[in-house]
Structure formats: structure tokens, C-alpha cells
Amino acid sequence: MTAIEQTEARPRGTRLPRRARRNQLLGAAQEVFVAQGYHAAAMDDIADRAGVSKPVLYQHFPGKLELYLALLDQHCEALVQSVRQALESTTDNKQRVAATMDAYFDYVEQEGGAFRLVFESDLTNEPAVRERVDKVSLDCAEAVSEVIAEDTDLPQEQAMLLAVSLCGMAQVTARYWLSSGQPVPRDVAKGLTAMLSWRGIAGFPMHPDSPAA
């Protein structure tokens, strides 16, 4: 169960198992951070949203930064797993590209706006936050680069450069599509992005020993 599924505030005094309480607090924190940003959010707001006292909140998270980082870890991991699953969903590279683009569109469209914590954080000057934001982009690109390097004659460094380009385009395009009010239907937007990506990456010769050759 994700944090956002635990956001409904409960009456104060309701006892929950520790894991369930932690998920509830993360869900409440996500709503507050997305709505207000890190700097404007207060632990009082999060406790009120969760329907708990501040001491209960501090039993699980020693401070606001630790709470924010826990959310980042959760949602960064979710994106990486989604990209990996997309790559593993087929051995057809054209379909792999489409599935990967879809993973980014799905990520930004998820209820709760968690992607804003990852890609639009107002706390990127904090080293621990910057590290996580950079790492999720690199982890996604590394997953894609493994496929590119396996299927082409390109060295790993060049495969990684292409992968960073593909993931960057997917992320920026998906966020633009959402922020623009989605004037283009999602399937069309995803298809256009996938087409552009595929026409670019398909131009690189396949390795003779590649399973996709």
C-alpha cells in the first residue's frame, strides 16, 4: 500500500500498527508537501492532516527533513522500478521504448502529485535531496543504457549518454504534458514521444549477437 492511500485523516487517539501508522503519516506528509512545498509546510500541518499529535509524528520521524527524505526514497524507488518493469515487459525494442515512455507519463499522472517531490522540489539545495534527485535520474538511465549497450556495438559510455537523453526527454515531456492541461490525449502524447525516441535510437546498428537482431 502506498503512502497516498493512507491519507484519510483519522480521529486522534486511533491506534494503528506501527507500519500502518508510518504509511498514514507519509500519506499526510505527501499531501502537505505537494500543496505547500517543503519550506512552507509545518510538522503541525502534517500532524493535523494525519489526525495525530506532534509527539506521535516525531516518534516515527525525528524531523521534517527526515520525513521528506523518506517520501523521496519511496517515490524515487517507485519510478526506477516502473522503468525496469517497462524494459523487462518485452524483448521488442520498439515496444520497450513505448513502455518506457508510458512509465513516465503514468508516473506524473498518478494521484497525489508525488512526482513534484522528485522533479520539482523546492529543496534541491539540500545535499541529501539533490543526491536522491540525481540518483533516480541516473538509475533510470542506467537501466535503459544496459539494453542499449547489449543491443548495439556502442560502448557503455555512449549508451549511457543516449539513455540519459531518452529518459530526460520522457520526463520533461510528461511533465509538460501534465502542466499544460493535457490538451493532447495521453495515448497520443505518449505515442508521439515514443515515435520520436524510437526513430532516433533505431538508427544505431544492432549488434550481430543481440537477441533483438
Side-chain angles (χ1 to χ4, degrees):
M1 181 173 290
T2 63
I4 196 61
E5 293 172 320
Q6 293 287 334
T7 56
E8 184 177 353
R10 295 173 179 268
R12 292 187 185 275
T14 301
R15 300 183 67 85
L16 290 175
R18 184 171 181 82
R19 181 179 293 275
R21 177 66 78 190
R22 178 183 170 87
N23 286 337
Q24 181 206 13
L25 296 174
L26 286 171
Q30 179 176 322
E31 290 192 349
V32 174
F33 284 134
V34 169
Q36 301 181 21
Y38 178 84
H39 295 292
M43 293 294 268
D44 282 324
D45 299 329
I46 296 168
D48 287 343
R49 180 69 189 89
V52 302
S53 64
K54 279 182 66 177
V56 169
L57 180 57
Y58 280 113
Q59 285 174 8
H60 293 264
F61 302 99
K64 186 168 72 167
L65 178 59
E66 288 78 10
L67 180 51
Y68 193 84
L69 293 178
L71 273 173
L72 268 185
D73 288 337
Q74 181 185 70
H75 294 300
C76 286
E77 178 62 22
L79 177 58
V80 174
Q81 288 302 315
S82 181
V83 169
R84 289 192 176 278
Q85 288 171 7
L87 294 169
E88 294 168 1
S89 65
T90 178
T91 57
D92 183 290
N93 283 331
K94 185 175 183 180
Q95 294 179 15
R96 273 176 170 158
V97 169
T100 302
M101 298 302 113
D102 193 43
Y104 279 90
F105 276 81
D106 182 64
Y107 187 69
V108 303
E109 201 178 21
Q110 286 179 7
E111 183 181 359
F115 81 94
R116 300 187 188 282
L117 302 177
V118 179
F119 294 122
E120 299 176 5
S121 173
D122 61 344
L123 195 61
T124 52
N125 61 329
E126 166 60 45
V129 173
R130 183 75 261 165
E131 177 184 359
R132 284 163 169 79
V133 171
D134 289 343
K135 186 175 185 299
V136 68
S137 296
L138 287 176
D139 285 351
C140 290
E142 284 177 359
V144 173
S145 75
E146 291 170 7
V147 176
I148 295 174
E150 179 182 358
D151 287 347
T152 68
D153 284 318
L154 294 173
Q156 180 59 42
E157 294 80 5
Q158 293 182 27
M160 184 63 178
L161 186 65
L162 290 174
V164 169
S165 299
L166 288 172
C167 291
M169 178 169 63
Q171 181 244 119
V172 172
T173 304
R175 287 170 52 208
Y176 169 79
W177 169 78
L178 187 70
S179 66
S180 65
Q182 307 166 42
V184 179
R186 171 177 162 162
D187 286 347
V188 175
K190 182 200 72 174
L192 288 171
T193 309
M195 184 184 302
L196 177 62
S197 302
W198 173 244
R199 287 183 175 179
I201 198 67
F204 292 89
M206 297 292 292
H207 192 286
D209 298 327
S210 167

